[in-house]
Amino acid sequence: MNEAIQVEHVTKDIKVGERVLHIIKETNLDVPRGQMMAIVGPSGSGKSTLMGMLGGLDTPSTGQICIDGIDISRMNENKLTEVRNAKIGFVFQFFHLVPTLDAVDNVALPVRFAINRKYEPVQRAKELLDLLGLGNRLDHRPSQLSGGQQQRVAIARALANDPPILLCDEPTGNLDTKTGQQIMDVLKQVQREMNTTVVIVTHDPDIAEQTERIVTLVDGKIVEDWVMEHVGAD
């Protein structure tokens, strides 16, 4: 199977009083392994809801979502936690680092909690931080790092257990343009060197256009899905 993510006939409804809001309308989406894809659309289009379901943070009302061949649509929370830890790395707009821990210990956390540990936590953290250009910031706490450096630590943490999929929700949204581009370059490096499937929710067209594929959501429905022909030239 070549797909890292499979979404089949997925909907998401929320009841508000007597009304039912159709947040995600019937959606089908396959994301091949190793692809970098952007999800774009106006505010309220369902981007974050779809991302939450892809990451097992929310469940679909109907339909099926498979992550690396595993159906997570109706899993209990204990099983979902195992899948998220092993299969999915999360990168958010607000870095969500533990303020009392240095860079190494922040990155080592997912390895320490892994059910089937593949790495020695501190060694793995140091390797990833060095790979992402933070080898001289290992003992720095988040408050001692710039926004871009904190996001690099967050990306390293997301990669700690070598997940096949990286889900990024507005990863450059809290950064200036120059720093945001540096983070995008890091994500492209991760995709290229680790063959990681990278899905990015973004409102920034300059970020989206650097991916291999752009999926546009409007009112909970995919209205465009197109491959960027120019990507890969570098």
Side-chain angles (χ1 to χ4, degrees), residues 5 51 54-55 88-92 165-169 197-199:
I5 299 170
M51 180 71 92
L54 296 182
I88 304 168
F90 294 94
V91 180
F92 300 99
I165 298 166
L166 198 61
L167 301 181
C168 309
D169 195 354
T197 304
V198 182
V199 180

Side-chain angles (χ1 to χ4, degrees), residues 52-99:
M53 290 192 292
L54 296 182
L57 302 174
D58 200 356
T59 55
S61 299
T62 63
Q64 183 183 62
I65 296 175
C66 291
I67 296 297
D68 200 31
I70 301 170
D71 184 357
I72 66 169
S73 312
R74 305 291 178 265
M75 269 187 179
N76 64 46
E77 186 57 34
N78 287 339
K79 287 289 186 182
L80 272 174
T81 299
E82 291 181 23
V83 171
R84 286 194 297 259
N85 187 268
K87 300 291 186 182
I88 304 168
F90 294 94
V91 180
F92 300 99
Q93 177 176 354
F94 300 102
F95 322 117
H96 298 306
L97 300 176
V98 180

Side-chain angles (χ1 to χ4, degrees), residues 85 108-122 124 160-161:
N85 187 268
L109 273 177
V111 185
R112 297 188 195 282
F113 286 110
I115 301 297
N116 300 306
R117 185 182 293 181
K118 295 193 289 185
Y119 303 103
E120 194 287 316
V122 171
R124 175 65 171 169
N161 285 321

Side-chain angles (χ1 to χ4, degrees), residues 31-51:
V31 185
R33 296 179 189 278
Q35 185 175 73
M36 176 176 279
M37 184 185 82
I39 300 175
V40 303
S43 296
S45 60
K47 302 187 300 297
S48 292
T49 299
L50 179 58
M51 180 71 92

